[in-house]
Amino acid sequence: MEVINAIGRRKSAVARVYVTEGTGKITINKKDIETFFPSAILRYVVKQPLQLLDAEGKYDIKVNIFGGGFTGQSQALRLAIARALVKINAEDKKALKDAGFLTRDSRAVERKKPGQPKARARFQFSKR
């Protein structure tokens, strides 16, 4: 198997994934997943597509990720891994889609409007 690449985005985070056959090692920005995502919840989010397909020990995953915070980065990485797994085996698409791992979450921060303190908050109105 050659190198399969895919991209995932969430909020302002972008994750580029390169998947090869291997032992299940996940390297993010030249760091191990345990050092990059110290939280067990974030590591769980990243590994969800692999756990769904029982492919945790089958592939080595190398990731370049930038932008956003740790939650957005972990969810962008989950999308990228799911897309790469579909490229490897198209029959897995239905299971991943039903679990919601192939849907790009388009929610992002609303922009701040002029003359207001935040996107929707208004300055206090004074009649007099």
Side-chain angles (χ1 to χ4, degrees):
M1 171 186 147
E2 72 283 356
V3 177
I4 303 291
N5 68 320
I7 193 166
R9 294 186 184 95
R10 170 77 171 99
K11 293 186 176 182
S12 60
V14 180
R16 289 186 181 86
V17 168
Y18 304 93
V19 180
T20 56
E21 277 185 27
T23 58
K25 189 169 177 6
I26 301 175
T27 309
I28 306 168
N29 291 353
K30 298 179 182 172
K31 294 179 186 169
D32 193 51
I33 188 168
E34 275 76 27
T35 53
F36 195 85
F37 289 125
S39 168
I41 295 163
L42 296 176
R43 288 195 301 268
Y44 171 76
V45 167
V46 168
K47 293 178 182 177
Q48 276 180 315
L50 297 167
Q51 289 170 345
L52 181 72
L53 302 175
D54 294 321
E56 268 190 284
K58 291 183 184 175
Y59 304 111
D60 282 346
I61 301 172
K62 186 176 165 288
V63 184
N64 293 330
I65 196 162
F66 64 92
F70 45 83
T71 303
Q73 286 183 344
S74 66
Q75 292 173 5
L77 183 49
R78 177 176 71 182
L79 175 62
I81 289 171
R83 285 178 173 174
L85 291 171
V86 169
K87 281 185 180 179
I88 292 167
N89 186 1
E91 282 115 54
D92 297 333
K93 185 172 181 175
K94 182 169 177 13
L96 289 167
K97 193 167 177 71
D98 290 344
F101 299 148
L102 291 176
T103 307
R104 201 277 201 204
D105 192 346
S106 62
R107 294 176 296 169
V109 178
E110 189 175 333
R111 78 177 197 90
K112 183 195 169 298
K113 315 300 188 304
Q116 296 173 203
K118 296 198 294 188
R120 300 208 172 180
R122 307 286 192 268
F123 288 115
Q124 187 170 347
F125 176 75
S126 172
K127 199 167 196 172
R128 283 173 196 89

